[in-house]
């Protein structure tokens, strides 16, 4: 099993990064090293999600470093200052709809930012990268869109169709190129849609929960029959740790929930759950479901075959969808302050822009 002492987490103030850091610094976890979290705190980054971590571990096992991964001086200095042996690269622009409205930030962070981080790792680890690892977190969306049957495997050809997925595909290729050309020790993972606590409410599940709680319309794109494979975020975090400590260098691993849902069916399940937990009548909520203009280039179906990860490293999802959704709704109900804090003026402007155009 690989050990890591000084772990540079990029984008650790975002949804999955927060859950990953919380997992590694939980009392029962085997990790005993330090985490250095570099994050530019875009609209999607929120330090309040890590307030208790900062209070307990700040300056000892947890260090927050504000900044852009596209800044070479900053990232190079972090490698030296903290003697980084492991990079866990989450930082990205991550929302497909935003990539359609404004693709530039996606190229800057996802492509150029990844390049800058790779260069810093290559320079710091030099020709003796023994024991080091650069783990890149990517998405199933790089594989494109499936029809009614079939699954994405690690050998499926890349066929990205949105500016977001194209920028992620580009970063995946750069990571693998740095391995083949320079011998950089890398692993890469492509995961399906995540859900759970701390997710920014622009993505389907938290957006729908919050709209239900405030009586707003529930906007369903197109015919609502697009299919996604959902994984509870803590299971993704666990899979990443499994790959970081046991994965083969130069390999990529698919991570998925084996849990496919049509958007509209998922929404009805969520409505029943929210109704049950809040007492708001399910029929009242159902009356707010609104079919809106489809997302341009909307991928029809994603489905992951994660048998390689299961077979080689013994990982499997541990949270079933019913339990995960219930935990997620409970979390949003219990954290009104967190919600209030992130629903800034900028967020309101985005909602107006995205949904009024439909
Ligand atoms: P997120 O949008 O919630 O968080 C991204 C984080 O990166 C934020 O904290 C943001 O401030 C930070 N960031 C953005 N640009 C930066 C920059 N230039 N420099 C430093 N920090 C920057 O994203 P997420 O949902 O947590 O996704 C994390 C990673 O996982 C991404 O690479 C994404 O492509 C991938 N992924 C996400 C999902 C999903 O369902 N959310 C599924 C598969 C893969
Ligand atoms: P999203 O959470 O944006 O993830 P991704 O597009 O990366 O899979 O969307 C999940 C699915 O839900 C996708 O098919 C688009 C759809 N969707 C809606 O129908 N309405 C919405 O308001 C949003 C945000 C998404």
């Amino acid at each position: 099993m690989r050990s890591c002492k000084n772990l540079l987490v990029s984008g650790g103030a975002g949804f999955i990064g927060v859950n990953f850091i919380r997992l590694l610094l939980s009392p029962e976890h085997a990790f005993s090293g330090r985490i250095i979290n570099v994050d530019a705190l875009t609209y999607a980054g929120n330090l309040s999600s890590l307030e208790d971590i900062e209070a307990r571990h700040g300056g000892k096992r947890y260090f927050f470093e504000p900044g852009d991964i596209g800044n070479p001086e900053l990232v190079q200095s972090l490698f030296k200052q903290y003697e980084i042996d492991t990079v866990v690269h989450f930082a990205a622009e991550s929302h497909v709809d935003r990539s359609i409205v404004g693709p530039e930030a996606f190229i800057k962070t996802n492509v150029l930012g990844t390049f800058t981080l790779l260069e810093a790792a290559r320079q710091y680890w030099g020709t003796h990268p023994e024991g080091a690892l650069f783990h890149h977190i990517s998405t199933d969306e790089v594989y494109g869109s499936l029809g009614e049957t079939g699954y994405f495997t690690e050998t499926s050809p890349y066929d990205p169709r949105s500016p977001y997925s194209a920028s992620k595909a580009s970063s995946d290729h750069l990571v693998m190129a740095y391995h083949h050309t320079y011998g950089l020790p890398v692993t890469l993972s492509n995961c399906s849609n995540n859900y759970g606590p701390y997710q920014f409410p622009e993505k389907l599940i938290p957006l729908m929960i919050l709209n239900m709680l405030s009586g707003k319309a529930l906007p369903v794109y197109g015919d609502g029959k697009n299919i996604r494979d959902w994984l509870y975020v803590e299971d993704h975090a666990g899979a990443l740790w499994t790959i970081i400590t046991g994965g083969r260098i130069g390999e990529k691993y698919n991570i998925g929930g084996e849990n496919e849902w049509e958007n509209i069916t998922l929404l009805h399940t969520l409505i029943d759950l929210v109704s049950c937990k809040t007492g708001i009548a399910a029929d009242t909520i159902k009356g707010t479901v609104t079919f809106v203009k489809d997302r341009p280039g909307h991928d029809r179906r994603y489905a992951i075959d994660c048998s390689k990860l299961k077979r080689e490293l013994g990982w499997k999802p541990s949270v079933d969808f019913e339990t995960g959704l219930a935990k997620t709704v409970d979390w949003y109900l219990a954290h009104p302050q967190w919600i209030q804090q992130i629903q800034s003026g900028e967020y309101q402007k985005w909602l107006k822009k995205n949904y009024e155009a439909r």
Side-chain angles (χ1 to χ4, degrees):
M1 186 165 147
R2 246 195 105 247
S3 69
C4 34
K5 286 201 191 88
N6 297 317
L7 212 144
L8 182 66
V9 171
S10 75
F15 166 47
I16 307 174
V18 161
N19 280 282
F20 180 76
I21 291 173
R22 301 186 73 84
L23 173 74
L24 262 61
L25 294 179
S26 60
E28 60 278 8
H29 200 273
F31 175 69
S32 60
R34 304 190 298 176
I35 291 182
I36 296 84
N37 174 11
V38 59
D39 197 298
L41 298 180
T42 68
Y43 77 93
N46 186 1
L47 279 186
S48 77
S49 306
L50 291 166
E51 248 164 29
D52 55 330
I53 294 288
E54 178 67 56
R56 229 174 319 132
H57 299 290
K60 298 187 285 270
R61 292 189 61 205
Y62 173 75
F63 301 81
F64 175 66
E65 293 285 354
D68 190 330
I69 54 158
N71 175 345
E73 291 79 31
L74 169 73
V75 290
Q76 282 165 21
S77 74
L78 293 179
F79 272 87
K80 285 197 196 106
Q81 184 185 344
Y82 292 102
E83 300 178 350
I84 297 300
D85 55 50
T86 307
V87 175
V88 188
H89 177 31
F90 293 95
E93 288 292 335
S94 69
H95 188 35
V96 174
D97 291 322
R98 283 184 191 257
S99 83
I100 295 167
V101 173
E104 191 177 345
F106 289 72
I107 305 306
K108 282 195 175 141
T109 289
N110 301 2
V111 184
L112 295 174
T114 300
F115 162 71
T116 306
L117 213 47
L118 284 166
E119 270 296 288
R122 179 166 84 93
Q123 277 177 28
Y124 181 70
W125 293 331
T127 47
H128 299 289
E130 288 80 30
L133 182 73
F134 188 111
H135 182 79
H136 177 59
I137 288 115
S138 191
T139 165
D140 58 1
E141 305 192 22
V142 298
Y143 298 121
S145 180
L146 290 166
E148 278 174 21
T149 57
Y151 295 90
F152 298 131
T153 71
E154 287 80 359
T155 55
S156 298
Y158 275 33
D159 183 22
R161 294 150 43 98
S162 73
Y164 165 64
S165 53
S167 67
K168 291 298 290 185
S170 170
S171 64
D172 290 13
H173 289 316
L174 278 173
V175 168
M176 282 308 182
Y178 268 64
H179 173 63
H180 293 297
T181 306
Y182 303 116
L184 195 77
V186 309
T187 44
L188 197 160
S189 53
N190 296 85
C191 190
S192 62
N193 287 60
N194 285 215
Y195 69 101
Y198 302 102
Q199 186 167 30
F200 194 81
E202 63 185 353
K203 305 279 168 63
L204 182 72
I205 289 180
L207 180 117
M208 292 299 183
I209 295 173
L210 297 196
N211 282 14
M212 287 179 209
L213 297 180
S214 57
K216 290 194 191 131
L218 307 178
V220 177
Y221 296 170
D223 63 4
K225 294 195 170 164
N226 299 68
I227 292 174
R228 298 292 183 265
D229 169 4
W230 294 93
L231 179 69
Y232 192 61
V233 63
E234 289 174 10
D235 273 337
H236 186 188
L240 294 174
W241 179 249
T242 300
I243 297 167
I244 290 162
T245 52
R248 285 185 291 137
I249 299 294
E251 288 292 317
K252 75 202 292 281
Y253 295 89
N254 280 353
I255 310 171
E258 300 182 320
N259 178 40
E260 290 179 53
W261 287 76
E262 260 183 8
N263 291 339
I264 191 70
T265 316
L266 191 166
L267 183 57
H268 282 130
T269 307
L270 199 53
I271 290 173
D272 289 338
L273 191 59
V274 169
S275 165
C276 177
K277 287 188 184 283
T278 60
I280 309 170
D283 283 344
T284 306
I285 309 179
K286 279 180 187 152
T288 65
V289 172
T290 310
F291 287 87
V292 297
K293 198 165 140 224
D294 209 355
R295 171 189 281 173
H298 195 176
D299 288 341
R300 193 62 171 171
R301 175 172 167 257
Y302 303 141
I304 276 278
D305 175 344
C306 57
S307 54
K308 176 175 173 182
L309 181 57
K310 289 163 92 179
R311 193 178 57 247
E312 282 191 16
L313 300 176
W315 176 87
K316 62 175 182 341
S318 68
V319 180
D320 64 65
F321 201 42
E322 199 185 331
T323 311
L325 269 191
K327 281 168 94 161
T328 305
V329 172
D330 286 343
W331 189 86
Y332 281 94
L333 286 173
H335 291 83
Q337 250 183 323
W338 185 90
I339 295 164
Q340 207 184 357
Q341 204 176 25
I342 56 163
Q343 288 184 328
S344 64
E346 278 311 306
Y347 175 66
Q348 296 306 330
K349 274 191 229 157
W350 160 253
L351 289 181
K352 214 165 145 35
K353 196 167 175 182
N354 189 41
Y355 294 99
E356 277 188 359
R358 291 173 192 279

